Amino acid sequence: MQLEINVVDAFTDTIFKGNSAAVIITENWLSDDLMQSIAFENNLSETAFIIADDKGIYHIRWFSPFTEIAFCGHATLASAFVLFNKNPHLECIKFSAKAVGILTIVQTDDGKIQMDFPNTKPEKVNNIPDSLLAGLSIAPVEVYKNTQAYFVVYNAESDVLTVARDNERLKQLAPLDVVVTCQAKSADYKNYDFISRYFWPANGGDEDPVTGSVHTGLAPLWAERLGKNHLVAYQASRRGGVLDCVVADDRVFISGHAVKYMTGFITIEES
């Protein structure tokens, strides 16, 4: 059995930046074990698997090297990028995923891909878990939480950029991950409204380069704090990535560029 695989750098227009995702399109679902094994072998933040139904809906599942993920933004962007390039006539793509329902994806006039996601605004946490406090070298100013992660708010960009973490401590927060964030204020980040970094030792690895899904919580959080609904975010990982975010009631529209790194084939011996 041969499977075509595309590897795409998402939330960037520059190769070797952003967050890489693998995209595999099949006629029928592979077994869960095989999809997990492929994701482990790829060793990327996510591998997305897609099948199309007879109504033109694309059903999508996301796997980290460790486990199946309920919702992944950058691999959705990568998947849409692959489908738009394979089908230039497509004006809109509808993905279906168990945890988030129908996701509508379009291409914008400036060449970005815009994704329509649920609003997952986090709620403030008054009793901060000891594992979170012990797992970060810099104490939070405030902490929020949604179904994906703890949101640690800092006052200074230097805190976000230099905070050290104890992954063994942060793993104790499973199934939740940790995002650290602050308002962008300095000249270095003058083009952005807020910055962040995302740590996910419980579900995928050490630090995720760019995390689309967590911005469905970050964007509403900062929209309220800054009094604006259109925000530009920068995820300040080593690779870095830019996300345009628009908060509209119960939806968050996240847009970004993508660039192809590789197309190839996986050969699997059938037993």
Side-chain angles (χ1 to χ4, degrees):
M1 177 172 59
Q2 278 201 328
L3 302 171
E4 182 180 290
I5 180 171
N6 286 273
V7 178
V8 175
D9 292 339
F11 293 116
T12 181
D13 58 4
T14 305
I15 198 167
F16 308 129
K17 298 292 185 179
N19 200 357
S20 297
V23 180
I24 297 172
I25 305 170
T26 58
E27 293 185 1
N28 300 289
W29 290 123
L30 307 174
S31 71
D32 288 3
D33 286 346
L34 180 54
M35 288 190 285
Q36 187 62 70
S37 294
I38 291 171
F40 180 80
E41 185 80 5
N42 289 341
N43 198 31
L44 300 171
S45 292
E46 257 82 31
T47 297
F49 296 89
I50 303 169
I51 64 170
D53 65 19
D54 56 6
K55 298 179 181 179
I57 302 293
Y58 292 92
H59 298 262
I60 187 167
R61 295 172 68 181
W62 307 279
F63 287 77
S64 82
F66 297 163
T67 187
E68 185 169 5
I69 300 296
F71 173 34
C72 177
H74 88 277
T76 301
L77 175 57
S79 298
F81 175 84
V82 171
L83 289 171
F84 279 130
N85 278 277
K86 284 181 174 293
N87 305 280
H89 64 282
L90 279 179
E91 296 181 356
C92 172
I93 294 170
K94 290 188 179 295
F95 285 119
S96 176
K98 183 177 180 180
V100 290
I102 298 295
L103 307 174
T104 302
I105 320 295
V106 297
Q107 296 185 89
T108 63
D109 292 339
D110 58 359
K112 295 175 184 174
I113 293 173
Q114 181 188 77
M115 302 171 288
D116 177 358
F117 290 147
N119 182 322
T120 66
K121 181 183 174 183
E123 299 295 330
K124 191 169 184 178
V125 174
N126 293 316
N127 297 315
I128 303 172
D130 291 339
S131 297
L132 181 58
L133 294 172
L136 297 174
S137 63
I138 301 173
V141 175
E142 292 181 293
V143 175
Y144 295 77
K145 181 177 78 169
N146 66 7
T147 58
Q148 179 179 356
Y150 286 97
F151 292 66
V152 173
V153 178
Y154 289 130
N155 284 331
E157 293 165 358
S158 59
D159 291 343
V160 172
L161 299 175
T162 64
V163 63
R165 67 262 181 206
D166 182 333
N167 282 342
E168 293 306 311
R169 294 278 192 171
L170 296 185
K171 280 182 181 179
Q172 296 173 18
L173 300 170
L176 299 185
D177 298 315
V178 177
V179 59
V180 296
T181 185
C182 74
Q183 182 181 355
K185 299 177 181 179
S186 73
D188 289 341
Y189 298 100
K190 63 182 180 181
N191 295 324
Y192 311 110
D193 294 293
F194 65 91
I195 67 170
S196 68
R197 293 171 67 199
Y198 189 82
F199 311 132
W200 65 324
N203 291 294
D206 186 21
E207 179 173 355
D208 195 40
V210 193
T211 315
S213 57
V214 83
H215 281 77
T216 64
L218 282 168
L221 177 67
W222 285 109
E224 182 175 84
R225 296 170 75 98
L226 300 178
K228 57 192 299 188
N229 287 335
H230 186 184
L231 306 104
V232 182
Y234 181 72
Q235 192 155 332
S237 67
R238 182 176 179 180
R239 290 174 63 101
V242 179
L243 308 92
D244 285 345
C245 307
V246 177
V247 180
D249 297 325
D250 64 344
R251 309 300 294 179
V252 177
F253 297 89
I254 297 179
S255 305
H257 289 288
V259 60
K260 184 171 75 171
Y261 168 64
M262 181 189 74
T263 298
F265 291 92
I266 301 169
T267 302
I268 298 171
E269 297 293 335
E270 298 184 81
S271 58

